[in-house]
Amino acid sequence: MRGTLALRITVVCLAVAGIAVIVSGLVATRLVRTTADTVLQQSLKSQADVVATQLDDTGIGNRLGVGKVADVVRGQGIAVVVRRPGGQDIGDATSTRVAERAGLASGQNRSDRVTVDGQQYLVEVRAVGPRAAAFALVQPARSGEATQRALVRNIALALGIGLLVAAVAGYASGRLLGRPLRKAAAAAVSLRTGRRDVRVPVEGPVEVAEVAGSLNELADALAHSEARQREFLLSVSHELRTPLTAVTGFAEAIADGVAEGPDARRAGETIHREAQRLERLVSDLLELARLGADEFRLDLATLDLAALVRDRAQVWQLRCERENVPLYVDSPAAPVLVTADARRLQQVVDGLAENALRVTPAGAPMVFSLVVDQGHAHLAVRDGGPGLAPEDYAVAFERGVLNKRYRDRRPVGSGIGLALVHGLVERMGGALRAGPAPEGGAAFTITLPLAAAPPGPSRP
């Protein structure tokens, strides 16, 4: 089971806070105990110093044994042990043992911690006067444990409150961070069901905002792509309708006996011509579909592009003469070696030539131009037709765009020919660009990198 983002953030916050609490608790407990002992020792030391300033060796026994000073000290849970100048110790047995172990007989001021019978005691020894008199203040170390326990309880309470705050903050943060993600998920579901007007507010942290922005861009791209597909289908439908109408009409005329003799022959020729047109259109559609597939195959090999240009020029020379369009060829005599698929490259040149001849009026030229420059071969198919609007060159290879814009003004193709040749050239590692031609029409230029020349025969 996958937990929600809020739950995961809460768990993470609790885990981090728990670790911090444990470490802080251990450190704080240790510091509290050490600090409490230090404070207790310092307090005992200060009291011993105060008592020492009020005594001398002549009155030490009486004042500490029964006097007010001893009563005040004992009232704080501190035992008093007195060593008289003659060497006699006054005090209870346990306190006396502790004081003697701490060095009461040394006659020197001392601060010590002594363990007797498993119990720790804090001891402050002070010498009084020049006659080897001294006293010791003895306080059990456990007298500070109550304060330590109270401090530890307060620390534990504070740490527990911190854990609770971490849990609440983690859950609130998770809900806050998860809100734009939930909106994005809902928008994705709407996109899946076919809606394209869904948009997600770009809010939250940078990463979450990037998800929302990407989803909005995806929605825009889907809407644009589907709009182009609809336009493409409308364009293809228009291209199919014209030959189908001609085929249907002439077939009905022959079937009804309206077209007989020479008229029937002309009707048959028209049906054949329109059927070929339909075949080319279907073939282009299939090629375009295969071009986007991974299994599309290319037989790349080194070939002479100059020879290919001369060969295609011979083929198109006859068609250009029938349309009264002069065809000029500008190609170097030396071989121009490139790596490409010969059959596909012929298909590209034929497609560009057919596109150029379709729009070139009688008397205007069509040109095949091959130029070698900086390690690349540039093959241009130019025409003297009406050309394209400047803004149309950038979208010339998008499916159906030129067909839609020019179908009512000039002869147009299926709307997929330029997209097909563009895809073929890119698959062969080249580039295809469109631009104005010196002849007044449009120029479509294929650029391919030159291939390394094969090694010549070795000389004896």
Side-chain angles (χ1 to χ4, degrees), residues 35-392:
T35 304
D37 289 345
T38 302
V39 170
L40 191 62
Q41 183 82 48
Q42 186 64 38
S43 175
L44 188 63
K45 180 179 179 180
S46 300
Q47 293 187 60
D49 291 339
V50 171
V51 171
T53 59
Q54 296 178 4
L55 300 177
D56 56 35
D57 58 344
T58 58
I60 186 171
N62 293 329
R63 295 186 186 181
L64 285 182
V66 294
K68 293 183 179 181
V69 176
D71 292 337
V72 171
V73 173
R74 292 191 183 99
Q76 300 177 13
I78 302 173
V80 181
V81 179
V82 177
R83 186 175 183 81
R84 292 181 173 181
Q88 181 183 1
D89 294 336
I90 301 175
D92 63 85
T94 302
S95 299
T96 302
R97 289 173 57 195
V98 171
E100 290 177 349
R101 185 170 297 184
L104 179 62
S106 64
Q108 297 178 355
N109 295 344
R110 300 188 62 179
S111 297
D112 202 353
R113 178 187 293 267
V114 177
T115 301
V116 174
D117 297 332
Q119 174 65 43
Q120 284 191 345
Y121 296 89
L122 302 179
V123 183
E124 289 292 334
V125 178
R126 294 292 183 272
V128 180
R131 300 174 58 186
F135 71 91
L137 301 184
V138 180
Q139 184 176 12
R142 66 171 180 269
S143 61
E145 291 180 358
T147 303
Q148 296 178 21
R149 285 193 295 270
L151 288 174
V152 170
R153 283 196 301 270
N154 292 336
I155 291 173
L157 177 61
L159 294 178
I161 294 174
L163 279 176
L164 180 61
V165 171
V168 174
Y171 183 77
S173 299
R175 296 287 297 177
L176 184 63
L177 291 175
R179 184 182 305 166
L181 292 179
R182 289 193 296 273
K183 292 181 180 179
V189 172
S190 299
L191 289 175
R192 185 182 61 190
T193 58
R195 292 187 58 185
R196 298 294 179 260
D197 59 339
V198 180
R199 295 298 180 270
V200 183
V202 181
E203 59 185 8
V206 175
E207 294 80 0
V208 178
E210 288 178 353
V211 172
S214 299
L215 194 61
N216 291 338
E217 292 175 0
L218 176 61
D220 293 336
L222 286 174
H224 180 67
S225 175
E226 291 178 356
R228 287 186 56 192
Q229 288 180 4
R230 286 191 295 269
E231 293 176 359
F232 176 67
L233 289 176
L234 290 173
S235 175
V236 171
S237 299
H238 178 80
E239 289 298 318
L240 289 173
R241 186 180 298 111
T242 302
L244 284 175
T245 301
V247 168
T248 303
F250 282 104
E252 289 176 351
I254 294 174
D256 295 340
V258 177
E260 297 179 350
D263 291 337
R265 182 177 180 179
R266 286 195 296 272
E269 291 176 351
T270 301
I271 291 173
H272 181 261
R273 184 172 59 253
E274 295 302 321
Q276 287 181 326
R277 180 179 174 185
L278 285 172
E279 182 182 6
R280 287 195 300 270
L281 177 59
V282 172
S283 177
D284 286 348
L285 287 172
L286 290 175
E287 289 286 352
L288 192 61
R290 294 193 189 104
L291 192 62
D294 294 335
E295 65 269 14
F296 185 80
R297 179 179 175 184
L298 288 174
D299 297 321
L300 299 178
T302 301
L303 57 89
D304 183 1
L305 186 57
L308 185 142
V309 170
R310 290 191 293 268
D311 176 72
R312 303 324 296 165
Q314 291 178 0
V315 173
W316 282 93
Q317 187 70 47
L318 296 176
R319 292 191 58 180
C320 288
E321 288 177 357
R322 287 199 298 267
E323 302 293 336
N324 194 25
V325 173
L327 175 62
Y328 300 100
V329 180
D330 182 11
S331 175
V336 178
L337 301 181
V338 295
T339 300
D341 185 321
R343 183 174 67 88
R344 295 296 184 181
L345 192 55
Q346 289 178 5
Q347 182 181 355
V348 169
V349 176
D350 289 344
L352 294 177
E354 183 174 359
N355 184 72
L357 183 60
R358 184 187 301 114
V359 297
T360 303
M366 191 170 79
V367 179
F368 287 175
S369 174
L370 178 60
V371 177
V372 177
D373 181 41
Q374 297 182 355
H376 289 79
H378 306 277
L379 170 58
V381 178
R382 309 196 300 262
D383 64 73
L388 303 175
E391 63 272 12
D392 289 338

